[in-house]
């Protein structure tokens, strides 16, 4: 079956530090890949996505590249801010809508 | 355009009680889902619907019922609450291939449920 692996964290960084959150996946077929962000007390919001190999998704300074050869979709940001503190979920979707699989979420804490 | 709304935001139940978590969306999305979020386990799919009158089970359906009588509403019913159902519940919706949001799931703000 499909699965998504990411570290739970927390990941603690100082403001303006470089961020990487690793995400690897196992899936049949050719999944679409997503990063969602959950701010405290809120629901998940789509951060970025990529639908085919070598695509790069980007939004709000975050980037992730769909790497089929390494089955990875690592999230990066060059300079994090305190406002980026949240939980980040990697997810994939194969076939129809209902095949969405989420990772466990990685908590990011950015300190001033 | 309110997006996806959920009520209540918080609920405390005693073991054995029943209740309904409400979910509504005003985006005319066909697809709706219920997830539960537990520490260390991410989001797990409980039930989903691909349109009015059509529902199916997800990964963890036991102890929950759903129905979809309208496109807008997708309530989740706990038949006899158990402490293992203590969790945060999220409803989500997504458009069909004819809309501009086919890849994006829109999540509600969640319902935090405690079963004593």
């Amino acid at each position: 079956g499909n699965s998504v692996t990411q570290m739970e964290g927390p990941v603690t960084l100082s403001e303006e530090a470089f961020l990487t959150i690793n995400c690897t996946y196992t899936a049949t077929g050719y999944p679409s890949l997503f990063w969602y962000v959950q701010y405290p007390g809120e629901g998940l919001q789509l951060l970025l996505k990529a639908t085919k190999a070598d695509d790069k998704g980007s939004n709000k300074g975050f980037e992730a590249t769909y790497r089929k050869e390494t089955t990875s979709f690592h999230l990066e940001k060059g300079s994090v801010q305190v406002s980026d503190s949240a939980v980040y979920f990697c997810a994939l979707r194969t076939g129809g809508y209902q095949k969405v699989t989420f990772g466990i979420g990685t908590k990011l804490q950015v300190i001033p | 355009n309110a997006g996806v709304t959920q009520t209540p935001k918080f609920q405390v139940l005693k073991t054995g009680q029943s209740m309904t978590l409400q979910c509504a969306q005003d985006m005319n999305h066909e697809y709706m889902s219920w997830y539960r979020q537990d520490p260390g386990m991410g989001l797990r799919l409980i039930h989903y619907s691909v349109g009015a009158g059509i529902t199916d089970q997800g990964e963890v359906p036991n102890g929950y019922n759903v129905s979809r009588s309208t496109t807008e509403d997708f309530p989740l019913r706990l038949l006899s609450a158990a402490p293992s159902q203590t969790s945060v519940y999220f409803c989500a919706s997504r458009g069909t291939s004819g809309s501009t949001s086919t890849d994006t799931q829109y999540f509600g703000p969640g319902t935090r449920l405690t079963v004593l």
Side-chain angles (χ1 to χ4, degrees):
Chain A
N2 297 338
S3 67
V4 175
T5 301
Q6 59 178 125
M7 63 179 296
E8 189 170 9
V11 174
T12 303
L13 295 174
S14 297
E15 206 165 20
E16 300 184 1
F18 185 86
L19 168 71
T20 299
I21 300 177
N22 289 340
C23 171
T24 57
Y25 67 89
T26 301
T28 55
Y30 302 94
S32 295
L33 302 175
F34 307 88
W35 277 101
Y36 281 83
V37 59
Q38 183 182 32
Y39 298 104
E42 298 183 8
L44 280 70
Q45 307 171 27
L46 180 67
L47 180 59
L48 53 84
K49 67 180 182 182
T51 57
K52 61 182 187 298
D54 300 324
D55 270 2
K56 176 185 284 188
S58 62
N59 187 26
K60 299 181 180 179
F62 290 90
E63 293 183 341
T65 301
Y66 189 142
R67 301 289 188 196
K68 190 171 185 294
E69 64 276 10
T70 55
T71 61
S72 65
F73 193 54
H74 305 322
L75 182 69
E76 297 181 336
K77 187 176 185 182
S79 176
V80 293
Q81 305 301 311
V82 172
S83 57
D84 293 327
S85 297
V87 180
Y88 293 82
F89 290 88
C90 186
L92 67 83
R93 180 172 63 86
T94 59
Y97 162 78
Q98 302 315 326
K99 303 298 182 184
V100 178
T101 302
F102 287 88
I104 63 172
T106 299
K107 185 174 183 178
L108 171 65
Q109 297 175 332
V110 181
I111 57 177
Chain B
N1 192 331
V4 180
T5 58
Q6 291 183 239
T7 56
K9 295 199 72 172
F10 302 94
Q11 183 70 49
V12 178
L13 293 177
K14 295 181 179 178
T15 297
Q17 287 185 315
S18 62
M19 78 159 295
T20 299
L21 279 62
Q22 302 293 342
C23 174
Q25 53 92 7
D26 60 0
M27 297 173 282
N28 201 33
H29 286 169
E30 289 194 1
Y31 302 131
M32 296 185 75
S33 296
W34 277 102
Y35 294 88
R36 58 178 290 173
Q37 182 181 25
D38 301 292
M41 305 191 75
L43 273 74
R44 293 181 291 170
L45 182 65
I46 304 172
H47 284 286
Y48 63 94
S49 170
V50 299
I54 306 169
T55 64
D56 206 345
Q57 297 181 348
E59 183 183 355
V60 287
N62 293 339
Y64 308 94
N65 272 359
V66 292
S67 60
R68 184 96 180 271
S69 56
T70 66
T71 298
E72 294 78 19
D73 300 299
F74 190 44
L76 178 71
R77 297 183 185 85
L78 280 69
L79 308 173
S80 177
S84 61
Q85 294 178 304
T86 294
S87 187
V88 181
Y89 292 85
F90 289 101
C91 180
S93 74
R94 187 170 80 89
T96 66
S97 59
S99 76
T100 60
S101 60
T102 55
D103 270 334
T104 302
Q105 284 198 88
Y106 293 85
F107 283 81
T111 295
R112 185 174 295 274
L113 175 68
T114 301
V115 182
L116 303 175

